[in-house]
Amino acid sequence: EFLRRHWEREPLLLRRGDPGYYAGLFSTTDFDAALRGGEVHFGTHLDVTSYAEGVRETHNPSGRALPAVVWDFYQNGCSLRLLCPQAFSDTVWHFLSILQEQFGSMVGANTYLTPPGTQGFAPHYDDIEAFVLQLEGRKHWRVYSPRTDAEVLPQFSSANLTQAELGEPVLETVLEAGDLLYFPRGFIHQGDCLPDAHSLHITVSSYQRNSWGDLLEKLLPAALQMALDEDVEYRRGLPMDYLGYMGVANSDAVNAQRTAFIEKVQSLIKKLVDYAPIDAAVDQRAKSFLHDCLPPVLTQSEMAQSVHGFPARWQDGGPCNVDILITKDTEIRLLCHGIIRLCNEEGGVMLYYTTENSRVYHKEEPKFFELDPEYTDSIEFLLSSYPNHVSVDNLPCETLDEKISLATLLFEKGILTTKKPLVQV
């Protein structure tokens, strides 16, 4: 019902009537602990903001966000925006990792701590689908419809807007702890704190640059290149005199030359569909998505049965439990759904994976390695078999050595888990 009625269409307000609904997700205590951990830096992880008399300001000093400095800003009426809570909170990391799998698109989050009686941000619209989860306190929200058709599901966020530009809100409410507010990209919004309570909320975001148009941006250049390679019609020269009858200066003219030129362009564009490498373009978007992804969150058993918990260590003067002994009878499966993607590229077949990603957005370069094309059937077999385990001997490689070699490579990259730990400790 949500997808049919609200997704990309209209806001949704859910009143939980339960202040503890989001207990354990994130709190002001967790915020304080992140500051005390010494890894939070102004600008990179934390913004200090204010909005008063129509003016939005950022007050970030340089360097580490020390608790004494941060809480002084807050005490003086500034809002605090933690830009990457998943880097400092295991629960937020886990939450977002589940959602990114559900949405098939990057899922990010910011947390906002606002003092009583203040507002931290000017009215604006965003380029993401937004879910506001009220964690503590209360906050007054106003949401406004897109002002023009061009602002419906926009590609980019707006600049700060003034109250005079807004009109009447389509939704006005006070979020209580446990409530959720969703609004699509393009819906203008602003939130301010009531005089009697602070507010802590987390905004979960998804579907940034994840439209049909964004897919076509990948697809059309690739289709044109294939057409140029394979069809001489795209390589024939333009008419020598076309500049004389085409262009804006000639747009009102009606003649056979203009008609023939326009029809030729239209026919070439229509033929491009036949050259469109749709699956390859989707794979390129999937490759980008895997770079955006958080690393998978592992259960204790997944940890113990993968390289992430492999018990290699230094003991009694030397390393022990080092050898990864995979046999034809070892039962394996992918560590998690959606952590790998096969892509055919100019350099060969590449396997992209998420297990070595950072919890900070794009802190690491994309992780991939070149795969022997003979192994692609085995990768597809593992993908189709998930979540069931299969024996190494069932991998569709030509020889047992190849089966064991591939399984060992994938295990060492953290992509595979075994049904039983390889080393009993």
Side-chain angles (χ1 to χ4, degrees):
E1 182 181 353
F2 168 73
L3 291 175
R4 181 173 55 83
R5 290 187 53 191
H6 298 278
W7 179 252
E8 295 190 323
R9 290 180 177 86
E10 62 180 38
L12 171 68
L13 171 64
L14 285 180
R15 295 213 176 278
R16 306 288 190 190
D18 178 5
Y21 189 86
Y22 296 119
L25 180 56
F26 195 79
S27 66
T28 44
T29 302
D30 296 325
F31 204 126
D32 186 64
L35 297 177
R36 294 183 181 282
E39 297 298 322
V40 179
H41 286 72
F42 288 110
T44 305
H45 309 113
L46 183 73
D47 283 331
V48 179
T49 68
S50 64
Y51 179 75
E53 298 179 357
V55 178
R56 152 86 156 80
E57 293 184 279
T58 300
H59 308 279
N60 293 340
S62 59
R64 273 178 50 190
L66 297 170
V69 178
V70 173
W71 293 128
D72 184 60
F73 274 123
Y74 176 84
Q75 192 166 268
N76 283 285
C78 291
S79 289
L80 307 176
R81 173 170 65 178
L82 188 61
L83 296 169
C84 192
Q86 62 270 25
F88 308 101
S89 164
D90 288 349
T91 51
V92 175
W93 170 28
H94 196 179
F95 184 48
L96 299 186
S97 72
I98 293 169
L99 290 176
Q100 73 186 12
E101 184 178 316
Q102 294 295 316
F103 284 129
S105 175
M106 179 201 166
V107 178
N110 293 328
T111 57
Y112 299 82
L113 180 60
T114 310
T118 68
Q119 180 170 335
F121 293 87
H124 64 282
Y125 62 76
D126 291 315
D127 57 350
I128 46 90
E129 302 299 298
F131 298 83
V132 177
L133 283 56
Q134 189 71 27
L135 304 177
E136 295 177 10
R138 308 163 72 214
K139 197 163 198 177
H140 171 231
W141 283 89
R142 285 167 285 176
V143 181
Y144 308 79
S145 292
R147 298 170 301 173
T148 65
D149 289 345
E151 292 182 358
V152 175
L153 305 179
Q155 273 194 299
F156 303 102
S157 298
S158 72
N160 292 333
L161 304 173
T162 65
Q163 298 294 331
E165 297 176 272
L166 301 186
E168 293 299 315
V170 292
L171 187 153
E172 185 168 6
T173 189
V174 174
L175 288 189
E176 307 279 352
D179 292 346
L180 177 147
L181 174 62
Y182 159 79
F183 43 84
R185 53 196 191 274
F187 275 75
I188 299 164
H189 52 279
Q190 59 180 328
D192 59 274
C193 260
L194 302 173
D196 59 346
H198 78 281
S199 168
L200 178 70
H201 78 265
I202 184 168
T203 297
V204 175
S205 61
S206 190
Y207 262 61
Q208 185 179 50
R209 302 301 303 273
N210 200 43
S211 68
W212 287 102
D214 295 303
L215 173 62
L216 291 175
E217 281 186 346
K218 292 280 189 187
L219 180 60
L220 293 180
L224 182 56
Q225 188 57 58
M226 289 186 69
L228 283 164
D229 291 342
E230 298 180 18
D231 190 336
V232 70
E233 285 300 305
Y234 289 86
R235 302 195 299 272
R236 294 194 190 282
L238 291 162
M240 289 184 182
D241 58 349
Y242 83 102
L243 294 178
Y245 54 81
M246 296 306 299
V248 174
N250 301 298
S251 59
D252 292 332
V254 178
N255 58 58
Q257 289 173 304
R258 279 185 60 82
T259 300
F261 189 95
I262 291 168
E263 288 176 351
K264 179 66 174 179
V265 171
Q266 291 172 339
S267 71
L268 291 174
I269 291 173
K270 288 175 183 176
K271 280 178 68 176
L272 270 185
V273 174
D274 299 331
Y275 297 98
I278 298 173
D279 287 319
V282 169
D283 283 340
Q284 290 303 305
R285 284 199 57 81
K287 179 179 83 173
S288 297
F289 170 47
L290 260 64
H291 187 205
D292 296 342
C293 277
L294 289 163
V297 179
L298 305 183
T299 64
Q300 286 187 330
S301 64
E302 287 169 339
M303 183 76 74
Q305 289 150 210
S306 70
V307 74
H308 305 283
F310 199 75
R313 65 190 183 280
W314 184 273
Q315 183 175 307
D316 299 330
C320 68
N321 294 333
V322 175
D323 296 330
I324 295 172
L325 299 175
I326 289 177
T327 70
K328 69 182 183 67
D329 297 318
T330 304
E331 293 185 272
I332 57 174
R333 70 164 171 82
L334 292 178
L335 183 64
C336 298
H337 172 75
I339 61 169
I340 60 171
R341 191 77 182 194
L342 274 173
C343 292
N344 281 312
E345 300 184 349
E346 288 185 8
V349 179
M350 304 297 175
L351 187 72
Y352 289 83
Y353 59 100
T354 66
T355 54
E356 296 176 16
N357 284 4
S358 168
R359 287 160 67 173
V360 176
Y361 178 70
H362 285 193
K363 184 178 181 180
E364 301 285 339
E365 292 298 311
K367 303 300 179 184
F368 67 95
F369 56 87
E370 186 173 356
L371 195 70
D372 189 318
E374 294 178 358
Y375 288 151
T376 56
D377 287 345
S378 294
I379 299 297
E380 291 169 2
F381 177 65
L382 288 167
L383 284 164
S384 63
S385 300
Y386 183 87
N388 299 317
H389 288 83
V390 295
S391 68
V392 170
D393 198 32
N394 284 334
L395 292 176
C397 299
E398 287 191 7
T399 68
L400 179 58
D401 283 348
E402 288 178 339
K403 296 175 184 183
I404 292 174
S405 176
L406 176 62
T408 302
L409 170 65
L410 297 177
F411 184 87
E412 289 175 344
K413 290 292 184 183
I415 293 168
L416 287 186
T417 180
T418 54
K419 193 168 187 178
K420 298 178 181 177
L422 292 177
V423 177
Q424 299 295 329
V425 180

